[in-house]
Amino acid sequence: MSKSFRILRAVALTALLAFGAGWQAPAAARQPSPGYTELPARQQALVDDLQRRSFDWFWQSGNPQNGLVPDSWPSQSFSSIAAVGFGLTTYGIGVERHYITREQAVERTLKTLRFFADAPQNGSEDDASGYHGFFYHFLDMHSGKRFARWTELSSVDTTLLLGGVLFAQSYYDRDTPQEREIRQLADTIYRRVDWPWMQPRRPLISMGWTPGGRFIPVDWKGYNEGMLVYILALGSPTHPVGPDAWTAWLSTNHLTWGTFQGQTFLNFAPMFGHQYSQSWVDFRGIRDAWSREHDLDYFENSRRATYAQRSYAIANPGHWTGYGANVWGLTASNGPGGLVVKGADGERTFHGYTARGAGLDYITDDGTIAPTAAAGSIAFAPEIVIPALTTMKQRYGKYIYDDYGFVDAFNLSFHTPTTLRTGKLVPGLGWVDSLQLGIDQGPIVLMIENWRNGFVWNVMKKNPYIRKGLERAGFEGGWLGAGAAER
């Protein structure tokens, strides 16, 4: 690359970042995506600070005795096994960023993996952490057993836990007793998962199971966060599902493929469905049968989804306060509700925790912005994400940015005095949360690092189970062509 070209590109990127509020991308055009080193120093500092604070959330909230990470914090909360998976991955990032030492990361990771390897697995209502290798969605932070009878044995949350487990297996590669044990424990935990057992309606995989109600009558089907479920189920060396499971999961894609807010893509309304699997797996340049047919990879699909979310906020069909080119982001998050508020313009419904989103599949929008929707999409479209993070912090940072980065969500249209489950009302501003959620903090830390240098993606490319799962799903090309998978 010539020096002149680099200068011209830098000028273009600077203009794009500075004037992002007035610029919209054409549906089919890919705009320059800035790298970390191309950012102005103040924006580098913003990214650095957000990543460090979001990392600190995991490091400081986790139970150092068993490695369990809370669902939400600062508060008294049960543990989310998905948050544990994100946490295990952030520890490696912390080593690379020099937030913690490798020895500290090894110690916390060992405690975590020893807990999950030894945790009771049986079919009882109250005396188990999991069954058939899967784990309950929520565990008691101290005993590590099923938190309550309303929580299910979750296929997707077990999968997100395993994302961190397999990251640890591939990252801790030194020939020391501790790191050898990490690799062995990770292998044990992954190999034990009985994926076909979670297929009461084969070839699809069920969302979960409870001792009282048995299998949940809903399966993972259609483009969503279930992508990683099927990849790990296909990659298992002990209890794999058949390749027909991937085909079945794809079978309803035609229902959500289309144009929304000027972007043509495979829709999934909340941004978490685009972020979770891609926090660990690099889909750039690799394609399965569906993506070959539609001439795009899943990474490009999620880039378009990110742009569509921003365009939706600019259009602001709900006329919510504050929405715009640099204040946007709908995903599963906390909220001020649920309640119905009557006003001069009629009734408005505000939700508590729900999967907010905007797409062809559905629109659920009550004016609640979740910063993780933008921040966790930084690898997809940094040129529009960074201006959004900058603006939200500059305008509202006094209320929505604390020791652990952005709070989970805020709503500038909600001003009704009421008893709130979480958060507070700020006079003249609106509702702001008082917590962060592990499953929303995780994509922030992981995707910032992937955007900066591909670190998590590159670690996971070394994992034979990830490679095997992708290949059995029919993915080809790109980095998958570099070396044969271990069998």
Side-chain angles (χ1 to χ4, degrees):
M1 185 187 296
S2 72
K3 182 176 180 180
S4 323
F5 182 83
R6 282 197 296 266
I7 293 171
L8 287 171
R9 185 169 186 267
V11 169
L13 289 170
T14 300
L16 185 62
L17 289 164
F19 300 105
W23 181 87
Q24 296 186 53
R30 184 179 181 92
Q31 299 301 317
S33 293
Y36 173 82
T37 58
E38 296 171 296
L39 296 182
R42 67 184 183 281
Q43 289 180 329
Q44 289 184 356
L46 179 147
V47 171
D48 291 345
D49 190 68
L50 175 60
Q51 188 178 30
R52 175 59 193 263
R53 289 172 186 258
S54 301
F55 165 85
D56 285 345
W57 186 94
F58 287 96
W59 190 251
Q60 295 180 21
S61 72
N63 183 341
Q65 302 307 311
N66 58 20
L68 292 178
V69 175
D71 176 65
S72 61
W73 195 70
S75 68
Q76 294 297 315
S77 171
F78 39 76
S79 173
S80 156
I81 61 169
V84 176
F86 281 114
L88 285 167
T89 313
T90 68
Y91 306 151
I93 294 170
V95 174
E96 299 300 309
R97 293 268 140 240
H98 305 292
Y99 303 155
I100 56 175
T101 66
R102 191 177 182 98
E103 290 71 26
Q104 287 176 300
V106 164
E107 181 182 12
R108 181 72 65 90
T109 299
L110 264 179
K111 289 284 181 66
T112 308
L113 298 188
R114 285 169 180 165
F115 165 77
F116 280 98
D118 296 339
Q121 290 259 333
N122 60 66
S124 70
E125 287 277 12
D126 307 309
D127 195 32
S129 302
Y131 192 40
H132 282 268
F134 294 91
F135 291 93
Y136 284 102
H137 190 163
F138 299 123
L139 303 176
D140 183 275
M141 277 291 294
H142 303 288
S143 72
K145 293 182 179 179
R146 185 187 188 190
F147 178 73
R149 291 194 175 189
W150 50 259
T151 187
E152 82 287 9
L153 200 73
S154 172
S155 54
V156 71
D157 291 278
T158 296
T159 293
L160 297 174
L161 167 65
L162 291 173
V165 169
L166 295 182
F167 170 86
Q169 181 185 46
S170 292
Y171 177 65
Y172 299 101
D173 56 1
R174 294 182 181 176
D175 189 21
T176 65
Q178 294 80 10
E179 297 199 17
R180 287 197 300 270
E181 185 181 358
I182 285 175
R183 296 193 293 273
Q184 181 271 321
L185 290 170
D187 212 50
T188 296
I189 293 165
Y190 176 63
R191 285 172 174 262
R192 188 173 56 190
V193 182
D194 187 354
W195 300 98
W197 175 78
M198 194 62 83
Q199 289 185 292
R201 294 165 294 274
R202 295 186 184 186
L204 294 169
I205 296 175
S206 173
M207 289 192 174
W209 177 90
T210 60
R214 302 301 172 179
F215 287 104
I216 293 173
V218 183
D219 300 312
W220 290 108
K221 188 175 185 179
Y223 177 71
N224 50 35
E225 72 273 29
M227 175 181 279
L228 192 60
V229 175
Y230 283 95
I231 291 169
L232 294 193
L234 286 162
S236 172
T238 49
H239 307 289
V241 300
D244 57 344
W246 186 262
T247 303
W249 179 69
L250 294 172
S251 64
T252 58
N253 280 6
H254 63 283
L255 299 177
T256 54
W257 168 260
T259 300
F260 178 75
Q261 290 294 329
Q263 300 288 333
T264 301
F265 64 107
L266 184 58
N267 282 241
F268 184 74
M271 285 309 299
F272 75 85
H274 299 274
Q275 297 169 354
Y276 283 2
S277 298
Q278 296 194 58
S279 290
W280 284 284
V281 181
D282 183 2
F283 285 96
R284 295 175 301 173
I286 65 172
R287 298 184 178 190
D288 63 353
W290 184 90
S291 52
R292 286 192 292 273
E293 179 183 346
H294 291 78
D295 194 28
L296 84 169
D297 56 42
Y298 289 104
F299 179 91
E300 168 63 18
N301 191 78
S302 295
R303 186 192 71 86
R304 296 181 187 182
T306 306
Y307 270 96
Q309 276 242 357
R310 178 176 180 265
S311 295
Y312 172 83
I314 293 169
N316 193 13
H319 305 291
W320 301 105
T321 303
Y323 279 29
N326 287 334
V327 180
W328 53 269
L330 303 178
T331 193
S333 71
N334 279 341
L339 71 161
V340 176
V341 177
K342 295 181 179 180
D345 298 326
E347 292 185 347
R348 284 189 158 184
T349 300
F350 295 92
H351 304 285
Y353 184 88
T354 195
R356 296 169 177 82
L360 290 178
D361 43 341
Y362 71 87
I363 294 176
T364 296
D365 178 19
D366 65 352
T368 302
I369 296 293
T372 186
S377 301
I378 192 170
F380 303 138
E383 66 276 10
I384 62 173
V385 166
I386 295 169
L389 300 179
T390 302
T391 297
M392 288 190 283
K393 186 177 179 183
Q394 286 177 344
R395 288 184 186 173
Y396 315 119
K398 179 180 178 181
Y399 305 105
I400 70 169
Y401 198 86
D402 62 20
D403 289 346
Y404 304 108
F406 287 107
V407 297
D408 192 57
F410 62 97
N411 190 313
L412 305 177
S413 299
F414 187 87
H415 302 279
T416 304
T418 186
T419 301
L420 297 168
R421 183 184 67 85
T422 180
K424 61 184 178 181
L425 281 179
V426 177
L429 184 73
W431 174 83
V432 298
D433 205 358
S434 52
L435 303 172
Q436 284 90 1
L437 304 187
I439 57 174
D440 288 344
Q441 294 289 86
I444 296 175
V445 184
L446 274 60
M447 291 299 258
I448 286 177
E449 196 65 19
N450 282 328
W451 165 65
R452 291 175 76 144
N453 56 30
F455 169 66
V456 179
W457 289 336
N458 291 335
V459 168
M460 299 305 280
K461 287 173 186 176
K462 297 188 294 184
N463 191 279
Y465 303 135
I466 294 292
R467 180 183 287 270
K468 183 176 181 181
L470 288 167
E471 291 179 339
R472 292 194 72 221
F475 282 90
E476 298 175 349
W479 61 268
L480 279 174
E486 294 183 23
R487 294 291 190 253

